[in-house]
C-alpha cells in the first residue's frame, strides 16, 4: 500500500448482534508449514505503527468471525468463517499461501471443524489465491462469472507484483456456481449468496447472514480505502449499494479495511458520484482520464488510501458514458500504468 496511513477505526453502532472480540496476530514470520501452537493472542487488534501488522480474528456473533488483514491496502483483503460447531464455511482466502495457511490455523485454533465450503466473493487473486489450501476438502462456491474470470485471469497478481513471495499457488476456481442467488446452510446457520449484478467485477457475491444481520460485502465495500471499479461498473456499484442497504445489515465486513456498519455505504456512494461527475465534465471537455485525475480536487476523498485508483475508475466511467456494457474489458496494464503515473511514478506496493 502506498499510503501508510492506518485505516480509520470503525464506528460503533449500538445494534451490533454481539460484542466484537478480537484475537491478536500470529507470530510474524512463522513458516507457513509450522503449526500454530501459540493459540489465540491478546484480545485486541494489532497496534498501529507496525509496517505490516499480521492478520487478526474478530468475532462478530456466535460462530461468525472476520479475518482482518491490516492495513487493507493492495492485496491485504479480509476473509472470514461461519461455523455452528459441526460445519464450517469460509469466505474468501488470501493472496499468499502463508496468509491462507494462517487463516486455516486460526479456524482450527477456534475449535471449528475443518471447512467443507469455501465461498469466493469475486475472482481477484487476493481473495482466491489461497483456495487450494482448503480444497479439495472444501467445495469452492462462487458466481458463474467468478469462475470464468478466475480461469481467464490466471496468476494475475504475479503479473502486477512479481516480487511477492506468494508460495505454492494452485489456481482453484469455484466448482459449484450460481447466477442470481443461492442459499447454503452451514449446519443451523443460513448463508445467502447474492449476486448484485456487475459492480466491483462481473462475478461479485454478497455473503448475507440474515439471522445475524451480518454481510460479507467483498470489494463492494472498501473501508478507509478508495473504491475500485475498473473491472466492473460505476453505475452497477451504485445499484449494488442500494441492494446492500435493503438487506438492513447491522455489521458489514468490507473486502478491505476494518469491520464497520452500514454507515459506510454513504461515503462510498458520495465517492462514486464524484467520479461520475468528474467523468462527465472531463469527457465533455475532451480531457483524458489521467488529465482529469491529475487536476481533480479530491476534497474529503483525499483521506482515502489508494487515491491513485481514481484514474482507473475514470476509465470505467468514460467507457460507460461511451455506451460500453458494464464489465466490458478495459486494458488493465494501461490502467495500472496510469495509476503508477498518478502515484508520482512509484508503483503501488503489495505488502502481502
Amino acid at each position: 500500500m502506498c499510503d501508510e496511513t492506518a485505516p480509520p477505526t470503525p464506528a460503533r453502532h449500538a445494534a451490533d448482534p454481539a460484542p466484537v472480540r478480537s484475537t491478536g496476530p500470529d507470530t510474524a514470520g512463522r513458516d507457513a508449514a509450522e503449526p500454530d501452537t501459540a493459540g489465540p493472542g491478546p484480545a485486541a487488534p494489532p497496534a498501529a505503527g507496525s509496517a505490516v501488522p499480521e492478520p487478526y480474528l474478530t468475532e462478530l456473533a456466535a460462530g461468525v468471525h472476520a479475518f482482518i488483514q491490516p492495513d487493507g491496502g493492495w492485496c491485504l483483503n479480509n476473509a472470514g468463517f461461519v461455523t455452528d460447531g459441526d460445519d464450517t464455511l469460509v469466505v474468501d482466502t488470501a493472496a499468499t499461501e502463508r496468509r491462507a495457511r494462517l487463516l486455516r490455523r486460526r479456524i482450527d485454533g477456534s475449535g471449528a471443524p475443518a471447512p467443507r465450503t469455501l465461498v469466493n466473493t469475486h475472482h481477484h487473486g487476493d481473495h482466491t489465491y489461497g483456495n487450494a489450501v482448503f480444497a479439495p476438502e472444501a467445495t469452492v462456491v462462487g458466481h458463474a462469472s467468478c469462475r470464468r474470470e478466475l480461469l481467464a485471469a490466471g496468476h494475475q497478481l504475479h503479473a502486477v507484483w512479481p516480487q511477492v513471495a506468494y508460495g505454492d499457488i494452485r489456481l482453484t476456481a469455484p466448482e459449484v456456481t450460481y447466477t442470481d442467488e443461492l442459499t447454503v446452510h452451514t449446519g443451523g446457520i443460513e448463508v445467502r449468496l447474492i449476486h448484485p449484478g456487475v459492480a466491483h467485477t462481473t462475478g461479485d457475491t454478497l455473503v448475507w447472514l440474515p439471522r445475524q444481520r451480518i454481510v460479507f460485502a467483498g470489494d463492494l465495500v472498501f473501508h478507509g480505502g478508495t473504491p475500485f471499479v475498473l473491472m466492473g461498473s460505476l453505475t452497477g456499484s451504485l445499484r449494488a449499494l442500494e441492494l446492500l442497504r435493503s438487506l438492513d445489515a447491522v455489521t458489514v465486513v468490507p473486502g478491505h479495511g476494518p469491520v464497520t456498519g452500514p454507515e459506510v455505504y454513504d461515503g462510498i456512494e458520495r465517492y462514486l458520484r464524484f467520479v461520475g461527475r468528474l467523468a462527465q465534465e472531463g469527457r465533455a471537455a475532451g480531457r483524458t482520464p489521467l488529465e482529469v485525475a491529475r487536476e481533480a480536487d479530491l476534497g474529503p476523498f483525499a483521506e482515502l488510501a489508494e487515491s491513485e485508483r481514481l484514474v482507473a475508475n475514470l476509465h470505467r466511467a468514460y467507457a460507460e458514458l461511451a455506451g460500453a456494457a458494464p464489465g466490458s474489458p478495459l486494458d488493465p496494464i494501461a490502467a495500472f500504468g496510469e495509476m503508477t503515473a498518478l502515484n508520482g511514478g512509484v508503483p503501488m506496493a503489495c505488502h502481502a
Side-chain angles (χ1 to χ4, degrees), residues 192-242:
R192 295 182 188 171
L193 311 183
I194 303 170
H195 177 52
V198 179
H200 175 64
T201 69
T202 61
D204 296 314
T205 290
L206 300 174
V207 181
W208 168 231
L209 281 60
R211 183 174 179 182
Q212 293 79 7
R213 296 177 66 191
I214 296 169
V215 64
F216 289 82
D219 284 2
L220 297 181
V221 174
F222 287 83
H223 184 201
T226 302
F228 190 50
V229 298
L230 174 69
M231 301 174 190
S233 171
L234 178 67
T235 56
S237 292
L238 287 166
R239 285 193 296 269
L241 286 174
E242 290 307 306

Side-chain angles (χ1 to χ4, degrees), residues 7 55-56 58 65-73 75-81 90-95 99 103 119-122 126-128 215-219 221-223 252-260:
Y56 62 93
T58 295
H65 290 78
F67 180 76
I68 307 299
Q69 297 202 82
D71 55 7
C75 298
L76 292 172
N77 66 297
N78 297 329
F81 65 97
V90 183
V91 180
D92 284 335
T93 54
R99 286 172 176 265
L103 169 60
V119 177
N120 286 143
T121 61
H122 60 290
D126 50 338
H127 297 256
T128 61
V215 64
F216 289 82
D219 284 2
V221 174
F222 287 83
H223 184 201
V252 179
V253 182
H256 296 255
V259 173
T260 185

